[in-house]
Amino acid sequence: MRPNIAIIGAGFGGLCMAIQLEKAGIRSYTIFEKGDNVGGTWRDNTYPGAGCDIPSHLYSFSFEKYSSWTRRFPEQPEILGYLERCADKYGVRPRLRLNTTVVAATFEESLGKWRVRTTAGDELFDVVVSAVGQLNRPQLPDIPGMSTFDGAAFHSARWDHSFDPTGRRVAVIGSGSSAAQLIPKVAEVADHLDVFQRTPNWVIPKADAVFGPGARTAFRRVPFLQRAYREWIYRYAEGTLYPALSGGWSSGPLRKRALEHLRDQVPDPLLRAKLTPDYPIGCKRVVADSKFYPALTRPNVDVVTDRITRIVPGGVQTAAGLREADAIVYATGFETSGFLASIQVIGRGDRHLAEEWKDGAEAYLGIAVPHFPNLFLLYGPNTNLGHSSIVFMIECQVRYIMGCLPQLAARGPMEVRPETMATWRQNLEAAMGRMVWQAGCTSWYKNAAGRVTNNWPGTTTAYRRITRAPRPDAFQFAR
Ligand code: NAP
């Protein structure tokens, strides 16, 4: 039996799943994509300066290495181009339904199938693979008076390209990774820029570099060189960044490097004090950027730390007074802990996923949820990283799901056992207790109750090991 598979989302995760199915000769799948193109977060985030702080040679599929990356750290258009080429090369487009939003998925027990409801109608599938990502639903703040603002106002992930910041007064609310990338670009042309910072972030330098024609030719002609370079980046992330960003041995040197970076780039002690975090490095996602601090020292930029009280037609009202603005950019992040919250998912016994997850999303290996047979998650709960490439994690998950397909084809719908889940939860909690994310900071790694629902506490090497192949005893089967 060839399972009929619904894939939700055509970003890195959905495309990886589809490509592996194609490679296995399984063409009985459909990718539902709410947007008008593939690319996921790299289609959505088009703000000036958008890019990735994971090196390009690791932030790409292991089976589709690309020798012609033009930079060490890729920018958004190049990543999107890479994903579009992957979709073309592996022939997934005929099975891609763009502009089609999945609104619900219900497991029909009598049929042993999922009924997937989209904006185009209902269809039955044997398997559902969710690849909706963790950073796909922009989070706007809840500041009084937002709707009264007179000028342009938009979220960083919904950049309004009809707005030209040249010569204008711009307010950027937020100072995370997105803000750090767009601020230097806006500051270059704006008349004035106010950066509203609620919490300072740890910032480390980003040693970006251009790969000239020589380097690109070398990567193309000597595949070993490219493999070795990718391996080197991977090992550095695992061996040095992982301990540093999880509170381990190398957090001291990394903290020192961040403070030196601040001292080198920000001469004014008052501004430096504003920008110095008071929580352990790694607790929130570290910003890797070498252009952010210099932009904040420009004469036309102010870092505002006064509490925002409301938005008024002419700008941003703070506890210390009005900051006038022609435009407000909300670089305020994403709704990260809800995972599939935009889709009503109903499993066996009329169990609603939202209800199951009311105290925090969780899944065995980040992939499978008890009572939800044949539902698999990519980049699900507790699989995010602060130190390395999510593409690596996605590949592990896709390989695991590919390993499940023959089992569910032979023995009917498969569902992770509650006792497997309980052991997983216990081990995860024990590992989480050792991580820095629970130290005194707020971050998108946690839900409102403070439970870390997003991050994987181990190395990626450990994750690859435990996801190498599904253990049949971890699951119960319909037959
Ligand atoms: P983010 O890291 O969640 O940052 C959101 C920012 O908005 C924070 O500074 C936050 O302050 C502030 N904020 C939120 N609500 C606010 C409010 N009501 N009033 C004032 N400030 C408010 O979001 P992001 O910058 O979009 O980045 C999200 C993630 O995407 C990153 O952590 C990273 O994983 C990924 N990303 C990566 C890159 C890259 O590779 N360089 C670039 C962009 C995004 P608090 O800290 O006080 O909450």
Side-chain angles (χ1 to χ4, degrees), residues 47 51-53 135 141 173-179 181 198-199 284-285 331-334 442 444:
Y47 60 78
C52 185
D53 56 14
L135 298 160
I173 299 182
S175 59
S177 301
S178 300
Q181 291 186 331
R198 190 165 63 178
T199 316
K284 290 164 101 71
R285 173 65 149 78
T332 43
F334 298 85
T442 57
W444 68 261

Side-chain angles (χ1 to χ4, degrees), residues 5 11 16 41 118 139 196 269 286 312 332 338 360 368-369 409 411 437 461 478:
I5 302 162
C16 185
T41 198
T118 72
Q139 177 169 264
F196 291 86
V286 168
V312 294
T332 43
V369 187
R411 300 177 61 193
W437 311 313
T461 314

Side-chain angles (χ1 to χ4, degrees), residues 84-409:
E84 287 173 333
R85 281 196 305 282
C86 286
D88 292 333
K89 176 172 172 183
Y90 291 94
V92 308
R93 290 204 193 257
R95 279 163 280 283
L96 175 64
R97 304 241 193 105
L98 296 175
N99 302 307
T100 310
T101 304
V102 173
V103 292
T106 306
F107 187 70
E108 304 274 356
E109 284 191 66
S110 56
L111 304 171
K113 288 179 188 284
W114 284 93
R115 184 176 298 282
V116 174
R117 172 161 301 161
T118 72
T119 42
D122 278 20
E123 269 175 78
L124 289 175
F125 290 93
D126 298 299
V127 173
V128 173
V129 177
S130 161
V132 299
Q134 293 194 8
L135 298 160
N136 70 333
R137 287 175 298 130
Q139 177 169 264
L140 282 171
D142 187 17
I143 305 172
M146 279 169 61
S147 61
T148 67
F149 183 62
D150 268 347
F154 46 89
H155 188 272
S156 55
R158 299 286 181 270
W159 194 266
D160 179 354
H161 290 276
S162 70
F163 170 72
D164 179 1
T166 308
R168 313 296 293 276
R169 294 165 306 177
V170 182
V172 174
I173 299 182
S175 59
S177 301
S178 300
Q181 291 186 331
L182 68 90
I183 282 167
K185 295 280 184 194
V186 175
E188 265 173 28
V189 296
D191 171 53
H192 185 82
L193 172 60
D194 281 328
V195 177
F196 291 86
Q197 174 193 271
R198 190 165 63 178
T199 316
N201 279 298
W202 287 101
V203 181
I204 55 172
K206 176 165 151 181
D208 199 6
V210 168
F211 291 125
R216 297 201 305 251
T217 306
F219 281 136
R220 193 171 60 251
R221 295 236 176 107
V222 192
F224 168 75
L225 187 67
Q226 195 184 356
R227 278 202 304 276
Y229 178 57
R230 183 179 160 107
E231 188 63 23
W232 175 77
I233 303 165
Y234 177 76
R235 289 193 183 192
Y236 173 76
E238 288 289 273
T240 307
L241 283 182
Y242 170 72
L245 294 173
S246 51
W249 68 271
S250 50
S251 60
L254 193 71
R255 183 177 185 278
K256 189 161 164 272
R257 191 154 142 232
L259 288 172
E260 280 165 5
H261 181 54
L262 176 61
R263 202 187 50 224
D264 293 348
Q265 292 200 321
V266 181
D268 172 9
L270 284 179
L271 180 56
R272 234 172 23 227
K274 272 188 189 176
L275 297 172
T276 307
D278 65 355
Y279 54 86
I281 194 164
C283 187
K284 290 164 101 71
R285 173 65 149 78
V286 168
V287 172
D289 207 295
S290 297
K291 297 180 184 157
F292 178 48
Y293 283 152
L296 301 182
T297 66
R298 292 174 65 106
N300 66 332
V301 176
D302 285 333
V303 176
V304 183
T305 53
D306 307 311
R307 194 171 52 83
I308 299 172
T309 52
R310 64 183 303 114
I311 305 292
V312 294
V316 181
Q317 186 73 47
T318 74
L322 173 67
R323 312 287 306 204
E324 290 179 357
D326 303 315
I328 301 177
V329 177
Y330 294 103
T332 43
F334 298 85
E335 285 173 33
T336 53
S337 56
F339 293 88
L340 281 94
S342 60
I343 303 170
Q344 186 185 50
V345 184
I346 304 173
R348 209 166 45 77
D350 199 31
R351 287 179 189 254
H352 288 235
L353 190 61
E355 181 59 23
E356 300 291 300
W357 282 358
K358 67 179 187 318
D359 297 326
E362 57 175 17
Y364 170 60
L365 302 168
I367 298 176
V369 187
H371 313 295
F372 293 81
N374 286 4
L375 169 70
F376 300 100
L377 313 179
L378 296 176
Y379 195 19
N382 297 109
T383 62
N384 179 57
L385 307 170
H387 75 283
S388 191
S389 173
I390 293 305
V391 183
F392 180 94
M393 300 293 273
I394 287 171
E395 285 195 52
C396 293
Q397 292 149 9
V398 169
R399 185 183 47 191
Y400 186 88
I401 298 167
M402 291 301 292
C404 291
L405 296 182
Q407 299 194 19
L408 64 88

